[in-house]
Amino acid sequence: GAGVSQSPSNKVTEKGKDVELRCDPISGHTALYWYRQSLGQGLEFLIYFQGNSAPDKSGLPSDRFSAERTGGSVSTLTIQRTQQEDSAVYLCASSLIAGGSTYEQYFGPGTRLTVT
Amino acid sequence: DQQVKQNSPSLSVQEGRISILNCDYTNSMFDYFLWYKKYPAEGPTFLISISSIKDKNEDGRFTVFLNKSAKHLSLHIVPSQPGDSAVYFCAATDSGTYKYIFGTGTRLKVLA
């Protein structure tokens, strides 16, 4: 598998429960990004990692959202006490290194989260 | 405050004709622009990009035009094919940063 993979592909959860979304970036890619696409909206930047560190967490919508990356590879996005407005497609992307113009971002297929 | 806008949510074009997708931005710091294409249940895939030092970039059937004074870019697809039917996202970035700002997308339908 040469591409970015995400799991699960679909997640239905009850309001108030915690969820974990997983992203496996392309091997060797040091930069990893999380985006959210709500219905009728564009891709909303959430957080990015360069290696295991996240220099900018300002895109996270609230303190219920957190993300980590271990070993410079897999990343998990955790949403605690989910709310209905968290329902969206969560997309992960990776690039060789972080850098706006030089390094294309490769996207995974996304995780569709539905909070009931 | 939406810094990148795609004002047409959908567009239908006959096969063989030209498709023109438009994008406007507000941040004058943006100096690199990209178009991504997205099929249902898949992540966006990179299509074509342009640096602000250029006003045109061409790749096969796809051409992106940039008008910096108007803060406007467009994607031309010619000739359009049914397989081009997808959602197209415009994105912009300040090349000194890591953050892409995406538009809301335009759904293109190419009619056979």
Side-chain angles (χ1 to χ4, degrees):
Chain A
V4 177
S5 61
Q6 293 185 248
S7 60
S9 55
N10 279 285
K11 176 72 176 178
V12 180
T13 190
E14 291 180 356
K15 177 181 171 182
K17 295 285 178 78
D18 298 351
V19 294
E20 272 193 5
L21 312 179
R22 176 187 168 109
C23 172
D24 281 272
I26 292 173
S27 177
H29 279 193
T30 63
L32 186 148
Y33 309 78
W34 283 99
Y35 294 87
R36 175 171 76 171
Q37 186 181 15
S38 304
L39 192 64
Q41 302 297 312
L43 277 69
E44 175 190 2
F45 169 84
L46 298 179
I47 188 172
Y48 97 102
F49 290 87
Q50 179 61 50
N52 291 335
S53 65
D56 185 349
K57 302 179 183 179
S58 63
L60 295 176
S62 75
D63 58 8
R64 296 185 295 105
F65 286 72
S66 63
E68 65 173 14
R69 188 179 186 197
T70 54
S73 181
V74 172
S75 176
T76 54
L77 177 69
T78 301
I79 310 173
Q80 295 179 310
R81 305 181 304 281
T82 51
Q83 303 293 313
Q84 287 185 329
E85 61 262 29
D86 300 334
S87 297
V89 176
Y90 289 82
L91 289 157
C92 173
S94 71
S95 65
L96 198 58
I97 65 172
S101 68
T102 311
Y103 299 102
E104 175 191 337
Q105 296 184 13
Y106 295 82
F107 283 84
T111 293
R112 181 175 296 278
L113 175 66
T114 304
V115 182
T116 61
Chain B
D1 175 29
Q2 210 166 353
Q3 298 184 66
V4 178
K5 300 177 185 179
Q6 293 178 257
N7 292 319
S8 299
S10 64
L11 175 69
S12 290
V13 172
Q14 283 296 131
E15 180 178 8
R17 306 295 290 267
I18 185 170
S19 295
I20 300 176
L21 296 95
N22 293 303
C23 178
D24 296 291
Y25 62 96
T26 57
N27 189 337
S28 58
M29 295 298 293
F30 290 150
D31 60 0
Y32 195 74
F33 306 88
L34 308 94
W35 285 94
Y36 279 80
K37 175 179 178 179
K38 185 181 185 301
Y39 292 118
E42 295 182 11
T45 55
F46 171 75
L47 194 56
I48 192 169
S49 63
I50 187 166
S51 164
S52 60
I53 62 173
K54 295 185 175 182
D55 55 18
K56 177 182 174 181
N57 188 28
E58 190 172 351
D59 184 2
R61 296 185 297 114
F62 303 90
T63 303
V64 56
F65 295 91
L66 176 63
N67 182 333
K68 287 186 291 294
S69 60
K71 293 191 176 69
H72 177 84
L73 66 156
S74 61
L75 174 69
H76 293 211
I77 307 172
V78 56
S80 301
Q81 299 173 354
D84 296 329
S85 297
V87 177
Y88 289 78
F89 290 97
C90 165
T93 186
D94 170 355
S95 60
T97 73
Y98 46 81
K99 190 182 294 188
Y100 289 12
I101 307 298
F102 283 81
T104 52
T106 296
R107 183 178 300 279
L108 174 66
K109 187 171 184 179
V110 180
L111 307 168

